[in-house]
Amino acid sequence: MTTLRTRRVDTGRLTQQITEAEGRDGGDVVLFVHGNVSSSAFWDTTLTTLPAGYRPIAVDLRGFGGTDPLPVDATRGLRDYADDLAALLAALEVDRAHLVGWSMGGGVVMQYLRDHPAAVRSLTLVNPVSPYGFGGTHGVEGTLNSADGAGSGGGTANPEFVRLLAQGERGEESPLAPRSVLTSCYVKPPLRPEHEDAYVESMLTTRLGDDHYPGDSTESAAWPGIAPGTRGVLNSLAPIHFRVDDLHLIDPRPPVLWVRGEDDVIVSDTSMFDLAQLGAIGAVPGWNGTPAQPMVAQTRHVLDRYAAAGGTVREVAVADAGHAVHLERPEEFGKALLEVLSA
């Protein structure tokens, strides 16, 4: 049975907490990167099932889990996080690694690939954020709805969800409690994930505030009246700050695996976390017809161009699964992952 250990690594840039499999110091490194409002704990089961011959490591991003809560400069998009990964791998004396990113972590590893293509053996995206960020765009080429990125950024977070995170709420009386969001949005109901309590605790490690989650915001003359600020997590995902639509230009081009749950309600062409989609169904007032962001179609568009330029891309759409395919369908996910790791 694989035993996991957690330790903190001083990279000179910041001290990062990692979880790794004991006794697996050899083999190709597989670095797992979690999503927003979570931590490396969401990868624990995956780490224990990766076979011998690989060295699995899961990292806590800054402001999550046990990693230093350095502020996030959102004007750099996801580069603060990607640069942290580079510093971690350098501290571990790892020249090349397989990268696996879930949700926001998918955007982080896409940014890392963009900046360090020769250091990536393979890239696995699990329900990743769109290469054009989260919110505020339309069409497969990620056209801005407004020049200021209205409809994205720190102001789009539900304040009640943020309040309950700050309160450390562990129950599920409110539909906006972390546990409720986990069981209704991270996974597809009626699934109750194994280790549910540990995942709730992981969510509660999220640092809150303008420099962290959700970040600051500005007013906008465009609907819905809010635009991204310059600090914090959600602003780092805003389309005016984060955009990696030129992956087809990198060299070399490692193989890419894209795994997604067909019933994901977070990263979707009709995302229930996109204010434009919520406006269309009447949940956000004053909707002016702004179309929902086609997140899945945007990712496919960017990866199709990557494949047309000579890269290898495999898309695996998992039926009856939501946002956390690696938790919901671990065997199917593990099989697909091993295929790209050994490509």
Side-chain angles (χ1 to χ4, degrees):
M1 180 177 179
T2 301
T3 302
L4 300 180
R5 66 179 180 185
T6 297
R7 62 186 175 104
R8 284 165 57 80
V9 179
D10 182 0
T11 68
R13 178 178 171 85
L14 78 170
T15 299
Q16 302 181 58
Q17 182 163 292
I18 64 172
T19 300
E20 55 194 338
E22 285 191 344
R24 300 275 287 278
D25 294 334
D28 292 347
V29 167
V30 186
L31 183 62
F32 294 87
V33 185
H34 65 83
N36 196 9
V37 191
S38 65
S39 75
S40 61
F42 277 77
W43 291 114
D44 280 359
T45 298
T46 305
L47 297 183
T48 64
T49 57
L50 204 65
Y54 296 100
R55 181 185 174 190
I57 300 172
V59 61
D60 289 337
L61 297 174
R62 63 168 64 193
F64 300 95
T67 287
D68 289 351
L70 268 63
V72 177
D73 179 356
T75 65
R76 305 186 71 235
L78 293 174
R79 273 200 169 93
D80 274 359
Y81 301 114
D83 289 351
D84 291 348
L85 294 190
L88 174 65
L89 290 171
L92 296 175
E93 299 182 338
V94 175
D95 295 328
R96 298 181 69 219
H98 300 279
L99 299 183
V100 184
W102 168 49
S103 193
M104 182 179 81
V108 174
V109 298
M110 280 190 277
Q111 184 66 66
Y112 185 93
L113 173 64
R114 176 66 183 80
D115 296 341
H116 309 280
V120 180
R121 294 182 182 274
S122 71
L123 190 80
T124 296
L125 305 172
V126 187
N127 296 81
V129 64
S130 164
Y132 305 104
F134 199 98
T137 68
H138 65 273
V140 297
E141 294 188 349
T143 304
L144 287 172
N145 296 335
S146 174
D148 61 1
S152 66
T156 65
N158 188 296
E160 179 65 6
F161 176 61
V162 177
R163 186 187 73 81
L164 291 171
L165 276 175
Q167 183 178 299
E169 176 60 51
R170 290 169 172 81
E172 53 187 325
E173 290 76 17
S174 168
L176 293 170
R179 187 181 301 272
S180 301
V181 173
L182 169 69
T183 58
S184 65
C185 300
Y186 284 28
V187 299
K188 181 184 177 182
L191 176 69
R192 300 300 294 244
E194 190 179 5
H195 312 303
E196 179 180 307
D197 288 347
Y199 298 142
V200 172
E201 294 302 318
S202 167
M203 296 171 73
L204 292 175
T205 68
T206 303
R207 290 2 180 246
L208 303 175
D210 285 350
D211 284 324
H212 302 292
Y213 180 85
D216 63 348
S217 65
T218 60
E219 294 183 357
S220 174
W223 184 88
I226 49 174
T230 62
R231 301 153 59 195
V233 178
L234 292 187
N235 294 310
S236 73
L237 294 166
I240 61 171
H241 299 316
F242 172 68
R243 188 179 182 98
V244 286
D245 60 334
D246 57 352
L247 293 178
H248 59 291
L249 300 179
I250 67 170
D251 183 43
R253 300 181 189 90
V256 175
L257 169 66
W258 174 26
V259 183
R260 62 180 183 85
E262 290 187 343
D263 296 323
D264 188 358
V265 298
I266 297 178
V267 174
S268 165
D269 287 352
T270 53
S271 170
M272 297 307 293
F273 288 67
D274 176 13
L275 293 190
Q277 173 63 21
L278 293 174
I281 63 174
V284 175
W287 182 60
N288 63 352
T290 298
Q293 179 186 5
M295 302 177 186
V296 173
Q298 288 176 348
T299 297
R300 185 174 294 113
H301 176 70
V302 168
L303 293 182
D304 281 350
R305 287 198 297 182
Y306 186 86
T312 300
V313 176
R314 181 188 178 200
E315 177 182 348
V316 177
V318 182
D320 201 34
H323 189 58
V325 175
H326 57 296
L327 303 183
E328 299 170 87
R329 298 288 187 274
E331 291 185 3
E332 190 169 346
F333 171 71
K335 179 181 177 182
L337 177 60
L338 284 178
E339 288 177 0
V340 74
L341 295 182
S342 60

